[in-house]
Amino acid sequence: MFKIFYPTEYYDSTYSINFKTYYNKGYRGVIFDIDNTLVEHDAPCDERAARLMAKLKGLGYSICFLSNNDEKRVADFNATAGAQYIYKAGKPLKKSYNKAMEMMGTNKDNTLFVGDQLFTDIWGANNAHIRSILVQPIAKHEEIQIVLKRIPEKLVLHFYLKKHKIKKRK
Protein backbone atom coordinates (compact mmCIF):
# COMPACT_ATOMS: atom_id res chain seq x y z
CA MET A 1 0.00 0.00 0.00
CA PHE A 2 2.77 2.47 0.91
CA LYS A 3 5.40 1.13 -1.51
CA ILE A 4 5.27 4.19 -3.79
CA PHE A 5 6.67 6.16 -0.84
CA TYR A 6 9.40 3.64 0.05
CA PRO A 7 12.94 4.75 -0.75
CA THR A 8 15.33 2.43 -2.52
CA GLU A 9 17.72 3.05 0.38
CA TYR A 10 17.79 4.86 3.69
CA TYR A 11 20.77 6.62 5.32
CA ASP A 12 21.26 8.56 8.53
CA SER A 13 22.69 11.49 6.60
CA THR A 14 23.56 12.67 3.12
CA TYR A 15 27.10 12.89 4.40
CA SER A 16 27.26 9.17 5.23
CA ILE A 17 26.50 8.04 1.66
CA ASN A 18 29.46 6.50 -0.15
CA PHE A 19 28.99 8.19 -3.51
CA LYS A 20 32.19 6.64 -4.89
CA THR A 21 30.59 3.21 -4.61
CA TYR A 22 27.61 4.41 -6.65
CA TYR A 23 29.93 5.99 -9.20
CA ASN A 24 31.74 2.65 -9.55
CA LYS A 25 28.32 1.06 -10.20
CA GLY A 26 27.73 3.44 -13.12
CA TYR A 27 25.81 6.33 -11.55
CA ARG A 28 26.71 9.69 -13.07
CA GLY A 29 24.15 12.18 -11.80
CA VAL A 30 22.83 13.17 -8.38
CA ILE A 31 19.68 15.18 -7.84
CA PHE A 32 19.52 16.70 -4.37
CA ASP A 33 16.82 18.29 -2.33
CA ILE A 34 18.41 21.17 -0.38
CA ASP A 35 16.58 21.98 2.84
CA ASN A 36 17.14 19.44 5.61
CA THR A 37 18.97 17.21 3.15
CA LEU A 38 22.18 19.22 2.68
CA VAL A 39 21.70 22.04 5.20
CA GLU A 40 19.11 23.14 7.75
CA HIS A 41 16.00 24.77 6.32
CA ASP A 42 16.83 28.15 4.71
CA ALA A 43 20.51 27.92 5.69
CA PRO A 44 23.16 28.97 3.17
CA CYS A 45 25.45 26.45 1.56
CA ASP A 46 27.93 25.67 4.30
CA GLU A 47 31.48 24.35 4.10
CA ARG A 48 30.39 20.73 4.50
CA ALA A 49 27.89 20.95 1.62
CA ALA A 50 30.39 22.81 -0.58
CA ARG A 51 33.05 20.15 0.10
CA LEU A 52 30.59 17.39 -0.82
CA MET A 53 29.69 19.11 -4.09
CA ALA A 54 33.39 19.54 -4.94
CA LYS A 55 34.06 15.90 -4.11
CA LEU A 56 31.19 14.69 -6.29
CA LYS A 57 32.28 16.87 -9.20
CA GLY A 58 35.81 15.53 -8.75
CA LEU A 59 34.47 11.99 -9.04
CA GLY A 60 32.74 12.94 -12.29
CA TYR A 61 29.15 13.44 -11.15
CA SER A 62 26.75 15.97 -12.58
CA ILE A 63 24.66 17.61 -9.87
CA CYS A 64 21.26 19.28 -9.90
CA PHE A 65 19.33 20.76 -6.99
CA LEU A 66 15.59 20.17 -7.14
CA SER A 67 13.61 22.35 -4.76
CA ASN A 68 10.04 23.47 -4.28
CA ASN A 69 11.45 26.71 -2.89
CA ASP A 70 11.54 30.02 -4.75
CA GLU A 71 14.33 31.07 -7.08
CA LYS A 72 16.09 33.36 -4.60
CA ARG A 73 16.49 30.59 -2.01
CA VAL A 74 17.81 28.06 -4.51
CA ALA A 75 20.02 30.53 -6.40
CA ASP A 76 21.54 31.83 -3.14
CA PHE A 77 22.37 28.27 -2.04
CA ASN A 78 23.75 27.45 -5.46
CA ALA A 79 26.00 30.52 -5.57
CA THR A 80 28.42 28.62 -3.33
CA ALA A 81 27.57 25.06 -4.41
CA GLY A 82 27.92 25.70 -8.15
CA ALA A 83 25.56 23.15 -9.67
CA GLN A 84 22.50 23.24 -11.88
CA TYR A 85 19.13 23.77 -10.24
CA ILE A 86 15.40 23.82 -10.64
CA TYR A 87 13.28 25.94 -8.30
CA LYS A 88 9.53 25.72 -7.74
CA ALA A 89 9.94 22.15 -8.94
CA GLY A 90 6.47 20.91 -8.06
CA LYS A 91 7.75 17.77 -6.35
CA PRO A 92 6.46 15.05 -6.40
CA LEU A 93 5.62 15.61 -10.08
CA LYS A 94 8.05 13.61 -12.18
CA LYS A 95 8.48 16.26 -14.88
CA SER A 96 11.04 18.18 -12.80
CA TYR A 97 13.04 15.01 -12.11
CA ASN A 98 13.07 14.31 -15.84
CA LYS A 99 14.12 17.90 -16.55
CA ALA A 100 16.96 17.59 -14.03
CA MET A 101 18.20 14.43 -15.76
CA GLU A 102 18.00 16.18 -19.13
CA MET A 103 20.01 19.13 -17.77
CA MET A 104 22.67 16.75 -16.40
CA GLY A 105 22.75 14.53 -19.47
CA THR A 106 21.81 11.46 -17.42
CA ASN A 107 18.91 9.03 -17.40
CA LYS A 108 16.86 7.04 -14.89
CA ASP A 109 19.40 4.21 -14.86
CA ASN A 110 22.41 6.33 -13.88
CA THR A 111 20.85 8.99 -11.64
CA LEU A 112 20.46 9.06 -7.86
CA PHE A 113 18.04 11.21 -5.92
CA VAL A 114 18.71 12.22 -2.30
CA GLY A 115 16.06 13.85 -0.11
CA ASP A 116 14.54 13.92 3.36
CA GLN A 117 10.78 13.77 2.69
CA LEU A 118 8.78 10.73 1.65
CA PHE A 119 5.70 12.50 0.23
CA THR A 120 7.56 14.90 -2.02
CA ASP A 121 11.17 13.86 -2.60
CA ILE A 122 10.97 10.07 -2.57
CA TRP A 123 7.53 9.77 -4.16
CA GLY A 124 8.65 11.97 -7.04
CA ALA A 125 11.90 10.08 -7.57
CA ASN A 126 10.02 6.79 -7.52
CA ASN A 127 7.52 8.15 -10.06
CA ALA A 128 10.46 9.06 -12.30
CA HIS A 129 11.96 5.57 -11.73
CA ILE A 130 15.16 6.98 -10.21
CA ARG A 131 17.06 5.29 -7.39
CA SER A 132 15.71 7.11 -4.34
CA ILE A 133 17.74 7.66 -1.20
CA LEU A 134 15.99 8.90 1.94
CA VAL A 135 18.07 10.65 4.57
CA GLN A 136 17.07 11.75 8.03
CA PRO A 137 16.32 15.46 8.23
CA ILE A 138 19.23 17.52 9.48
CA ALA A 139 17.19 19.77 11.79
CA LYS A 140 14.52 18.76 14.24
CA HIS A 141 12.85 22.21 14.04
CA GLU A 142 10.82 22.63 10.85
CA GLU A 143 8.06 24.78 9.43
CA ILE A 144 4.56 23.76 10.49
CA GLN A 145 3.55 22.38 7.06
CA ILE A 146 6.57 20.05 7.15
CA VAL A 147 5.88 19.03 10.76
CA LEU A 148 2.34 18.07 9.76
CA LYS A 149 3.63 15.95 6.85
CA ARG A 150 6.07 14.18 9.17
CA ILE A 151 3.18 12.65 11.15
CA PRO A 152 1.89 10.35 8.36
CA GLU A 153 5.48 9.91 7.12
CA LYS A 154 6.29 8.24 10.45
CA LEU A 155 3.64 5.61 9.74
CA VAL A 156 4.99 4.91 6.24
CA LEU A 157 8.56 4.84 7.54
CA HIS A 158 7.52 2.39 10.27
CA PHE A 159 6.25 -0.10 7.67
CA TYR A 160 9.31 0.47 5.46
CA LEU A 161 11.70 -0.22 8.35
CA LYS A 162 9.71 -3.28 9.41
CA LYS A 163 9.63 -4.70 5.87
CA HIS A 164 13.37 -4.20 5.39
CA LYS A 165 14.24 -5.28 8.95
CA ILE A 166 15.99 -2.00 9.68
CA LYS A 167 16.25 -0.78 13.25
CA LYS A 168 14.65 2.61 13.81
CA ARG A 169 17.13 5.45 13.68
CA LYS A 170 16.98 8.16 16.32
Side-chain angles (χ1 to χ4, degrees):
M1 175 176 161
F2 296 128
K3 288 183 184 179
I4 190 67
F5 303 115
Y6 287 178
T8 311
E9 296 177 65
Y10 181 38
Y11 286 86
D12 291 332
S13 165
T14 299
Y15 300 98
S16 65
I17 299 170
N18 186 337
F19 287 99
K20 186 173 184 180
T21 298
Y22 288 106
Y23 191 85
N24 291 340
K25 291 179 180 180
Y27 289 91
R28 296 299 181 261
V30 185
I31 303 170
F32 284 104
D33 173 54
I34 297 172
D35 289 324
N36 260 344
T37 297
L38 292 167
V39 295
E40 288 190 24
H41 186 79
D42 281 337
C45 182
D46 61 16
E47 187 177 315
R48 181 170 71 159
R51 274 195 319 265
L52 177 60
M53 296 308 115
K55 178 182 173 182
L56 294 178
K57 290 175 193 174
L59 286 171
Y61 277 107
S62 293
I63 301 164
C64 187
F65 302 120
L66 191 62
S67 176
N68 285 346
N69 247 311
D70 63 27
E71 183 174 16
K72 180 173 177 14
R73 164 66 180 135
V74 181
D76 287 352
F77 180 87
N78 191 54
T80 301
Q84 298 180 79
Y85 65 87
I86 299 170
Y87 63 94
K88 291 189 178 178
K91 294 182 289 184
L93 298 175
K94 69 180 178 179
K95 69 180 181 176
S96 293
Y97 294 80
N98 290 333
K99 182 178 178 185
M101 288 186 285
E102 183 180 317
M103 290 167 67
M104 294 187 302
T106 61
N107 61 55
K108 64 183 178 69
D109 297 320
N110 65 1
T111 303
L112 302 169
F113 177 84
V114 182
D116 70 297
Q117 293 187 53
L118 292 173
F119 297 151
T120 51
D121 299 330
I122 300 305
W123 186 15
N126 290 345
N127 282 336
H129 305 286
I130 302 170
R131 184 179 209 98
S132 58
I133 299 175
L134 177 68
V135 295
Q136 289 189 10
I138 291 174
K140 300 298 178 203
H141 301 31
E142 298 178 297
E143 293 180 341
I144 189 65
Q145 71 269 19
I146 306 291
V147 171
L148 294 174
K149 279 197 276 186
R150 296 286 186 204
I151 296 167
E153 277 189 356
K154 285 181 182 179
L155 178 66
V156 174
L157 193 55
H158 166 78
F159 286 109
Y160 169 80
L161 296 172
K162 186 175 177 179
K163 178 182 179 191
H164 294 282
K165 297 177 174 66
I166 299 171
K167 290 185 181 182
K168 183 169 175 139
R169 295 176 168 111
K170 301 198 181 202

